[in-house]
Amino acid sequence: MVDYITDGLAAAVAMDEGETAAPGQPKTHEGILSSARAIFRDLNERGSRQRQVLEDYLVDTSDWQLIVTGHSLGGGLACLLTLMFRKEFPTTKGY
């Protein structure tokens, strides 16, 4: 059911200035952006285990790279999360 709601929020909305590594304020699908922001916020919560893993493997080690993938609705999420994570982790790849 949540996927239907996310898909239904189909208005094109501008991302916040500086929210991504992309220049300006890219426009995107409102529902996917809302979901991407929630996931990004959860993964970046200071002191969380998820954030610690990101720091341990992507900041402290140059041998690791963040790769974000998805299919269908998850593909849209992967694209937005890739842009968001590239601000801090420039080598992030999205597929």
Side-chain angles (χ1 to χ4, degrees):
M1 182 61 135
V2 174
D3 285 353
Y4 292 119
I5 294 169
T6 299
D7 282 339
L9 296 172
V13 295
M15 298 180 80
D16 294 338
E17 185 75 37
E19 185 171 18
T20 74
Q25 291 180 280
K27 289 192 175 185
T28 188
H29 185 283
E30 181 181 17
I32 295 173
L33 178 58
S34 177
S35 295
R37 284 176 172 159
I39 293 167
F40 187 78
R41 185 178 49 248
D42 288 348
L43 291 174
N44 274 301
E45 186 177 321
R46 298 289 173 208
S48 71
R49 179 67 185 132
Q50 296 92 327
R51 179 63 198 184
Q52 191 60 50
V53 168
L54 289 173
E55 290 175 2
D56 288 349
Y57 291 100
L58 300 175
V59 174
D60 299 336
T61 308
S62 62
D63 297 340
W64 289 77
Q65 181 179 39
L66 180 61
I67 298 174
V68 188
T69 65
H71 171 73
S72 192
L73 182 58
L77 283 168
C79 289
L80 294 182
L81 287 169
T82 298
L83 290 175
M84 292 172 164
F85 275 111
R86 277 189 183 159
K87 277 191 72 170
E88 187 171 357
F89 310 113
T91 61
T92 299
K93 300 276 191 239
Y95 298 99

